[in-house]
Amino acid sequence: MPRRTTPTALDRLRTPGRFPGFLKTASVCTLMAGLLAPLSPAAAAAGLSGQAAAAQVTAANDYCGTQCSDILPPGQNGNATLAQILLNQAFGTQPAHAEDQLGPYANLAKGYSTLTNATINTFFNDASFGVPADQVASTVKPAGRSDVTIVRDKKTGVPHITGTTRYGTEFGAGYAAAEDRLWLMDVFRHVGRGQLTSFAGGAASNQGLEQQFWRNAPYTEADLQAQIDNAVATNGARGQQALTDAKAYLDGINAYIDASDSGRYFPGEYVLTGHKDSITNAGTIDHFKITDLVALGSVIGALFGSGGGGEVNNAISLLAAQEKYGVEQGTKVWESFRERNDPEAVLTLHDGKSFPYAVRPENPQGLALPDPGSVVEEQLVYDRTGSAATAGAATASTTAAKTAMTSAKRGMSNALVVGGDHTASGHPVAVFGPQTGYFAPQLLLLQELQGPGISARGASFAGLSMYVELGRGQDYSWSATTSGQDIIDTYAVELCQDDYHYLYRGTCTAMEKVEQKNAWKPTTADGTAAGSYTMRAWRTKYGPVEYRATVGGKKVAYTTLRSSFLHEADSIIGFQMLNDPDYVKGPETFQSAVQHINYTFNWFYADSEHTAYYNSGDNPVRANGVDAEFPVWAQSAYEWRNWNPTTNTAAYTPASAHPNSIDQDYYISWNNKQAKDYTTAPWGDGSVHRGNLLETRVKKLVQAGGVTRASLVKAMADAALADLRAEDVLPDLLKVINSSPVTDTTASAAVGKLQTWLTAGGKRTETTAGSKTYADADAIRILDAWWPLLVKAEFEPGLGSELYTAFTANLPVDESPSAAHGPTGSHAGSSFQYGWWSYVDKDIRAVLGQSVQGPLAQKYCGGGSIGACRDILISTLKEAAGKTAAQVYPGDELCAAGNQWCADSIVQRTLGGIKHGNISWQNRPTYQQVVEFTSHR
């Protein structure tokens, strides 16, 4: 029988006994067959038990002095046999190490207030190198190899992989990755190829997932191989080493596939989706090949590292503004809402240094704005049959495509880094990590790699864990946040001959048709009836077609050109360098390493003496006069400088032009603006941003001095419970309302509740740990209901319905944790990244007569009259106060209508057969490190 997780506080978090989700119909025969299958891969693998193994002690090359910690919920083990899945679905039983990091992660929400350095590892793991002798759970030599050992620790089951050869080290990394995430890796290599429905079933969510990613990266198998060849050919010895490492890694994955298949302890999802027979073991699990790594990389890059796009939506809202106000004033209004370089925006580099990028040209050239009403999104799905052709199927898959993986794709993560001049120890302290959403199993996995030229511990994306991608080395640590600068441009290609030919440098050229045909049938895991469809993309030299329109009456296709398109594999060199202790020896070499990463990230670094920052990405050098915000004509004059359409390479801005810094007093990042004059693609970098939640807390700590690991964790955790609207906007809203006595009893009561909550800190936090009830619940309900009402009443009368609607397409009004009206989907954790809080803040302050830098083009609330504005706020507040909890939180498949705590709660979204209970809301990284190195090599 599978081992049950030791009872902990997590038991109270687990959803009770209904038989939900991934398994809907499992026969007794299937259940029995699964129970007869071997359950323990460790027992079948060649190796020793922890007690019999030679002890591995903490490594001598660890300079962190037990002051490095990390956490990654729900748990390290993301594989489960058929029997374990069935037991989980029926009784909530968890496989070993499947959720033992979820409880400590969840408990920080109520435990941080009394945190000390000594109690950090109550909520985090010890991230020291090696495993103490009394903590060794198992020691395995995968596939009987003598050149690699995988030691797993008792507490979390994290693999500590030590190789005496480079090949053995990477073989062990692949073997351990498959042991922990084989099913997930298989899912995502199919997502990257647009083949998920054929592999896992035709559910709307699966359709949406494959449509979402294939639309952005419609690669052929030849494209995938070419990207490998290019990365190797252009990077000398390191490129050749990366190829050798990847092949060893794949050998390890495939060795585990063979071992688990013959031993019958492979993930049970293969049975439930019809790929394996639970009784005869018939069927196959396909070996991984090198192009699978590129397919996986394209998904991760699209999720977290591809800033830009949106030029067509920008054009639509600009035209709406010009239609209402005239060209000159309309452009001013549009620019004021765009906030390209808002002087009140919180900055990661606060020393005043300018890094101009994607700035507004004085006289824009080559604009190709669509004729009003002419834009149509390019059709992706054709030839629907069976269940794919039923009424509502197209709508369901389209909706799913727009929301697929949205808890991850919006560009998240945060970092708090303080230099040694301001810490108690004199050494830098960092608390940082990526917000990659919450999934079961998690997209990331933990590992330690020790071998020739490799020495690191941390997190890597499953299936891409040849190297640690976010973590620590011997005497340094690094992490990243999504940066979002614009590396995607939209071109208007003029059509000729028909809808599938376009003018390329004066020649009528055929578009390239790329298709992916998928078919599915019902399985135990997914009962969706049989169906099929074809996804079809039309590619041009300027990228895939995204929209059709007319410009000045001419028929055009709008295409998206991304600098990382056809270059998904290039970043491997940067990660290789980060893992190499002979390469990274200080902040300068760290910056040099991450310069080799072509995705758009903010990178942070800390060792015992220094801190550093660098913004990565292949930022194209645009032609003079091109405005990156809008579509331009696909003509030579407006192309990227030195652009080669065959290889999709161009001239890129030099490293010195990217925001970068060494030893600033402190750094914060929560996907906010990087530096002065550095324009990012997303809207919303204004006076109020969730980055302010970190800035105010860390700045206060630095001014006081004596910062510790515990105090920096507490700052992060406190910000993680803050309602940004309450902390930074509500005080001024209440100033307007209280500018005269509030005589209406309903409004007065609501104001009193909001003021009481604000005085208490404006947090969304339980009354006591595990109560599943918020303190100040009524005030939170009122603000959740009020915000969308007040924004619409404040701005729509002045903007007009058309322009207001267009602006909401550029930037959603709200992103509250319950996300009843936000872009991230429900139960996603990450909140308050995108919303109109800066607009409300600037407008209300202007109405109050306060100084506003970078104001909106006009006053909107009440037409600028404080009395009229007050009337609007009070009337919408009364309406909000009258809404019941069931109206504000309408309920879903997990939560009953009106359950406020549940509506906010975080769910590990199932990507396999194991389910976990929901936890109380926190707005924090999924994988997180707490580091303070005590010495240096």
Side-chain angles (χ1 to χ4, degrees):
M1 294 292 288
R3 227 172 51 201
R4 189 182 176 108
T5 306
T6 303
T8 65
L10 187 62
D11 288 347
R12 69 175 180 267
L13 303 173
R14 199 171 287 141
T15 39
R18 59 194 179 102
F19 195 71
F22 187 86
L23 257 187
K24 294 182 179 177
T25 56
S27 68
V28 174
C29 290
T30 305
L31 173 61
M32 291 304 296
L35 291 174
L36 291 172
L39 299 180
S40 174
L48 303 169
S49 71
Q51 288 71 25
Q56 179 176 341
V57 297
T58 301
N61 60 353
D62 188 341
Y63 292 83
C64 206
T66 70
Q67 294 187 168
C68 284
S69 304
D70 62 19
I71 190 77
L72 177 62
Q76 179 66 22
N77 181 11
N79 280 355
T81 63
L82 177 62
Q84 290 171 327
I85 291 172
L86 296 174
L87 288 168
N88 173 265
Q89 295 280 337
F91 306 113
T93 303
Q94 294 288 336
H97 301 306
E99 68 169 23
D100 48 16
Q101 296 183 64
L102 187 56
Y105 183 93
N107 291 339
L108 186 66
K110 292 302 291 185
Y112 77 88
S113 61
T114 58
L115 189 73
T116 65
N117 284 348
T119 61
I120 284 175
N121 284 355
T122 304
F123 307 99
F124 293 86
N125 313 314
D126 181 353
S128 299
F129 282 170
V131 183
D134 63 350
Q135 292 302 308
V136 174
S138 65
T139 303
V140 171
K141 291 190 172 296
R145 297 191 63 86
S146 62
D147 60 349
V148 60
T149 304
I150 303 174
V151 174
R152 291 185 182 266
D153 61 83
K154 291 179 180 179
K155 182 180 178 181
T156 62
V158 169
H160 304 258
I161 302 154
T162 303
T164 57
T165 67
R166 180 93 175 199
Y167 179 93
T169 308
E170 291 296 350
F171 182 98
Y175 194 95
E179 199 169 27
D180 288 336
R181 295 288 193 281
L182 177 58
W183 170 253
L184 181 70
M185 291 156 54
D186 218 343
V187 165
F188 274 89
R189 67 169 164 172
H190 285 88
V191 170
R193 283 188 166 84
Q195 299 171 347
L196 182 59
T197 51
S198 294
F199 176 70
S205 58
N206 288 348
Q207 294 182 42
L209 201 56
E210 69 185 5
Q211 292 170 28
Q212 169 86 14
F213 291 104
W214 197 79
R215 180 188 291 275
N216 294 323
Y219 292 134
T220 65
E221 195 68 16
D223 293 330
L224 298 176
Q225 183 60 53
Q227 293 179 66
I228 292 287
D229 298 340
N230 175 72
V232 172
T234 57
N235 286 286
R238 283 201 174 272
Q240 289 294 333
Q241 185 64 67
L243 180 62
T244 302
D245 290 346
K247 289 180 176 178
Y249 178 78
L250 290 167
D251 287 346
I253 292 172
N254 293 332
Y256 180 78
I257 289 174
D258 292 342
S260 65
D261 196 356
S262 61
R264 300 183 68 169
Y265 51 81
F266 51 81
E269 292 92 345
Y270 286 106
V271 174
L272 299 171
T273 53
H275 295 283
K276 295 288 292 181
D277 187 283
S278 62
I279 298 175
T280 67
N281 208 36
T284 59
I285 301 172
D286 292 337
H287 275 194
F288 277 65
K289 53 189 177 182
I290 199 158
T291 50
D292 291 333
L293 305 185
V294 185
L296 280 159
S298 70
V299 174
I300 301 306
L303 279 171
F304 306 110
S306 297
E311 289 86 0
V312 171
N313 275 343
N314 288 353
I316 290 171
S317 60
L318 175 65
L319 291 171
Q322 293 176 344
E323 173 68 21
K324 179 171 179 59
Y325 295 105
V327 172
E328 183 177 353
Q329 181 62 21
T331 301
K332 288 181 179 179
V333 169
W334 190 91
E335 290 288 346
S336 73
F337 277 80
R338 177 61 182 91
E339 298 177 318
R340 296 199 209 201
N341 196 30
D342 190 83
E344 295 182 329
V346 61
L347 304 175
T348 296
L349 301 188
H350 52 249
D351 59 3
K353 187 175 181 180
S354 172
F355 292 89
Y357 179 68
V359 297
R360 182 190 179 196
E362 289 186 12
N363 184 24
Q365 300 294 307
L367 288 178
L369 304 182
D371 295 332
S374 69
V375 175
V376 177
E377 186 174 23
E378 179 71 356
Q379 183 177 344
L380 178 68
V381 179
Y382 295 81
D383 305 329
R384 293 177 177 270
T385 70
S387 62
T390 58
T395 299
S397 65
T398 300
T399 300
K402 290 181 178 179
T403 58
M405 304 294 290
T406 48
S407 66
K409 77 169 186 177
R410 298 294 295 187
M412 302 174 241
S413 313
N414 70 27
L416 304 80
V417 183
V418 176
D421 289 346
H422 307 283
T423 66
S425 66
H427 302 298
V429 177
V431 177
F432 44 25
Q435 277 177 282
T436 53
Y438 296 92
F439 300 96
Q442 185 51 252
L443 305 183
L444 295 165
L445 55 79
L446 290 175
Q447 62 177 348
E448 179 186 349
L449 294 175
Q450 300 289 349
I454 301 175
S455 183
R457 173 196 163 114
S460 306
F461 286 100
L464 297 171
S465 54
M466 296 84 72
Y467 312 123
V468 170
E469 291 159 354
L470 302 154
R472 55 155 302 194
Q474 295 178 2
D475 56 2
Y476 60 92
S477 183
W478 74 95
S479 190
T481 68
T482 296
S483 57
Q485 79 266 19
D486 197 346
I487 63 168
I488 302 173
D489 283 352
T490 297
Y491 286 92
V493 298
E494 185 177 345
L495 300 182
C496 55
Q497 186 174 319
D498 58 25
D499 288 346
Y500 305 104
H501 287 75
Y502 66 103
L503 287 177
Y504 170 62
R505 296 179 177 174
T507 300
C508 194
T509 305
M511 295 179 181
E512 179 186 8
K513 181 171 68 173
V514 182
E515 290 187 331
Q516 175 59 49
K517 298 181 179 181
N518 290 333
W520 58 86
K521 58 185 179 181
T523 66
T524 302
D526 181 359
T528 303
S532 68
Y533 59 53
T534 298
M535 291 188 293
R536 182 177 302 149
W538 294 95
R539 303 198 315 193
T540 73
K541 300 287 188 182
Y542 298 92
V545 174
E546 186 175 17
Y547 297 97
R548 306 274 180 164
T550 60
V551 177
K554 294 180 179 179
K555 294 177 68 175
V556 302
Y558 282 124
T559 67
T560 53
L561 186 63
R562 169 168 56 95
S563 68
S564 54
F565 188 72
L566 295 176
H567 294 276
E568 313 290 356
D570 291 10
S571 294
I572 192 172
I573 302 302
F575 292 114
Q576 183 190 92
M577 291 173 168
L578 287 170
N579 283 241
D580 185 351
D582 293 327
Y583 188 86
V584 178
K585 295 184 177 180
E588 294 86 0
T589 48
F590 155 76
Q591 290 182 331
S592 177
V594 296
Q595 286 167 21
H596 289 80
I597 295 173
N598 66 339
Y599 290 125
T600 53
F601 289 112
N602 302 303
W603 293 96
F604 297 88
Y605 169 93
D607 62 25
S608 66
E609 300 171 3
H610 299 287
T611 61
Y613 164 83
Y614 185 83
N615 164 255
S616 73
D618 281 346
N619 295 356
V621 177
R622 295 178 173 88
N624 291 336
V626 166
D627 191 336
E629 294 292 318
F630 303 109
V632 295
W633 284 107
Q635 298 172 9
S636 297
Y638 313 120
E639 294 171 358
W640 295 341
R641 290 300 182 227
N642 300 334
W643 177 58
N644 182 333
T646 302
T647 58
N648 191 34
T649 55
Y652 306 113
T653 60
S656 60
H658 289 243
N660 67 90
S661 169
I662 294 176
D663 290 333
Q664 184 174 271
D665 52 354
Y666 66 91
Y667 302 97
I668 66 94
S669 176
W670 211 346
N671 316 112
N672 51 278
K673 190 176 182 70
Q674 288 82 15
K676 182 182 178 183
D677 300 320
Y678 198 72
T679 302
T680 57
W683 289 44
D685 281 335
S687 59
V688 177
H689 188 283
R690 66 180 183 177
N692 296 72
L693 298 175
L694 300 182
E695 172 72 13
T696 55
R697 288 161 172 79
V698 176
K699 186 175 183 178
K700 183 178 180 180
L701 288 178
V702 168
Q703 289 174 340
V707 177
T708 65
R709 285 177 294 137
S711 66
L712 203 57
V713 171
K714 289 165 78 171
M716 177 280 302
D718 194 66
L721 300 180
D723 188 308
L724 176 63
R725 304 163 305 178
E727 183 163 317
D728 281 0
V729 187
L730 182 58
D732 283 333
L733 292 171
L734 293 179
K735 282 182 183 178
V736 173
I737 289 176
N738 290 323
S739 62
S740 298
V742 181
T743 57
D744 182 272
T745 55
T746 300
S748 178
V751 167
K753 291 175 180 178
L754 290 170
Q755 186 61 62
T756 298
W757 178 40
L758 193 57
T759 302
K763 306 291 192 304
R764 303 174 79 99
T765 183
E766 292 176 292
T767 52
T768 57
S771 70
K772 298 186 179 182
T773 300
Y774 278 153
D776 301 293
D778 273 352
I780 294 171
R781 172 187 58 80
I782 290 169
L783 183 57
D784 284 347
W786 188 26
W787 186 262
L789 297 175
L790 79 86
V791 170
K792 186 172 184 177
E794 180 179 352
F795 288 99
E796 190 175 44
L799 292 172
S801 295
E802 182 179 356
L803 181 54
Y804 175 77
T805 301
F807 276 152
T808 61
N810 296 128
L811 184 66
V813 166
D814 197 10
E815 193 181 42
S816 66
S818 60
H821 37 69
T824 62
S826 58
H827 308 297
S830 181
S831 308
F832 303 121
Q833 183 176 359
Y834 298 111
W836 282 42
W837 15 88
S838 179
Y839 303 157
V840 174
D841 170 69
K842 284 178 179 289
D843 190 46
I844 294 298
R845 285 161 51 211
V847 170
L848 285 168
Q850 298 177 7
S851 174
V852 180
Q853 300 179 61
L856 299 178
Q858 65 185 62
K859 298 175 184 177
Y860 291 93
C861 189
S865 162
I866 191 169
C869 179
R870 180 177 180 274
D871 290 343
I872 287 170
L873 297 184
I874 288 180
S875 65
T876 52
L877 179 60
K878 288 175 60 179
E879 183 181 353
K883 289 185 178 291
T884 66
Q887 290 174 308
V888 181
Y889 313 105
D892 55 28
E893 61 181 10
L894 177 69
C895 304
N899 189 330
Q900 180 185 57
W901 176 91
C902 188
D904 275 14
S905 68
I906 293 170
V907 172
Q908 315 297 309
R909 300 183 183 197
T910 52
L911 297 174
I914 298 297
K915 289 181 171 290
H916 306 279
N918 51 329
I919 64 173
S920 194
W921 175 73
Q922 297 180 72
N923 197 3
R924 63 181 281 209
T926 316
Y927 165 65
Q928 195 166 39
Q929 299 180 78
V930 181
V931 297
E932 183 179 17
F933 286 90
T934 57
S935 58
H936 202 71
R937 284 172 287 168

